[in-house]
Amino acid sequence: MSNQKDTEKPPDSPRHESEGERLDRNLSELLQELRIALPGVQVLFAFLLAVPFQQNFTQVTEFQKSVYFATLLLTALSTAMFIAPTAFHRMTFRLQQKERLVQLGNHLAISGIGCLGLAMTGAVMLITDVLYDTTATVIATGLILLMFVSFWILLPLHGRRKAEDEA
């Protein structure tokens, strides 16, 4: 990055900050968001790692085993996506890759959130299926999935469209 580019205000930014300052702010915001999401996915992953060692796990159905395994994999994938920006940053330290890190981190965070939503839906499906009948499982799973889609996809997209329309 040249010094000239670092001191110019980006053309689409209402803030009075240089490109470097904008990247620093974007990276800081991304890291703060990942700090919020990561503990939740780590708790879910720890719970899932302990489940097969419970005495009653041998009595689960093939469907429940499949849901469990898919949920475990989605949780591991979500964890990997949330931690990947840190690995990228460490591996590219001082190589002027902050813009690429912010872009990659944004994509990974969005994908990780999607995987986390699916994993949490899978966990609810598994627990509901163990405790109740198929009807309750379908209803609970559908409601949980609708909640994640509404709060984590539709609401942000609506806010994005509204902001773009106002701009």
Side-chain angles (χ1 to χ4, degrees):
M1 230 187 274
S2 72
N3 287 342
Q4 171 119 14
K5 184 178 181 183
D6 220 20
T7 59
E8 293 176 2
K9 179 183 158 223
D12 61 343
S13 174
R15 297 173 181 258
H16 298 288
E17 58 188 0
S18 69
E19 179 71 11
E21 290 168 334
R22 182 185 62 81
L23 286 171
D24 287 344
R25 179 179 51 80
N26 289 167
L27 180 58
S28 177
E29 290 171 0
L30 173 68
L31 293 175
Q32 183 61 31
E33 292 162 1
L34 292 173
R35 282 186 197 108
I36 291 167
L38 195 53
V41 75
Q42 289 173 316
V43 168
L44 178 58
F45 195 52
F47 164 75
L48 290 169
L49 290 175
V51 167
F53 300 103
Q54 301 302 312
Q55 189 174 16
N56 291 339
F57 192 74
T58 58
Q59 300 169 3
V60 298
T61 66
E62 286 303 313
F63 171 75
Q64 292 165 347
K65 284 181 186 177
S66 296
V67 170
Y68 166 78
F69 192 62
T71 302
L72 179 69
L73 293 178
L74 284 165
T75 305
L77 183 57
S78 183
T79 302
M81 289 179 177
F82 287 152
I83 295 174
T86 301
F88 184 91
H89 184 253
R90 284 296 95 209
M91 298 298 287
T92 62
F93 186 64
R94 294 191 177 164
L95 295 176
Q96 312 306 318
Q97 296 295 303
K98 194 173 289 184
E99 184 171 5
R100 182 175 286 155
L101 169 61
V102 169
Q103 290 172 350
L104 179 66
N106 180 59
H107 293 298
L108 288 166
I110 291 169
S111 298
I113 288 167
C115 288
L116 178 58
L118 291 173
M120 292 175 72
T121 301
V124 169
M125 179 190 293
L126 177 63
I127 291 167
T128 307
D129 195 59
V130 168
L131 297 176
Y132 300 105
D133 62 7
T134 302
T135 303
T137 301
V138 169
I139 292 170
T141 302
L143 289 174
I144 290 297
L145 187 58
L146 179 63
M147 179 192 69
F148 285 124
V149 168
S150 295
F151 291 139
W152 290 4
I153 298 173
L154 298 178
L155 185 63
L157 286 177
H158 175 73
R160 182 183 181 113
R161 280 192 206 112
K162 191 170 182 174
E164 287 172 347
D165 289 346
E166 291 171 359

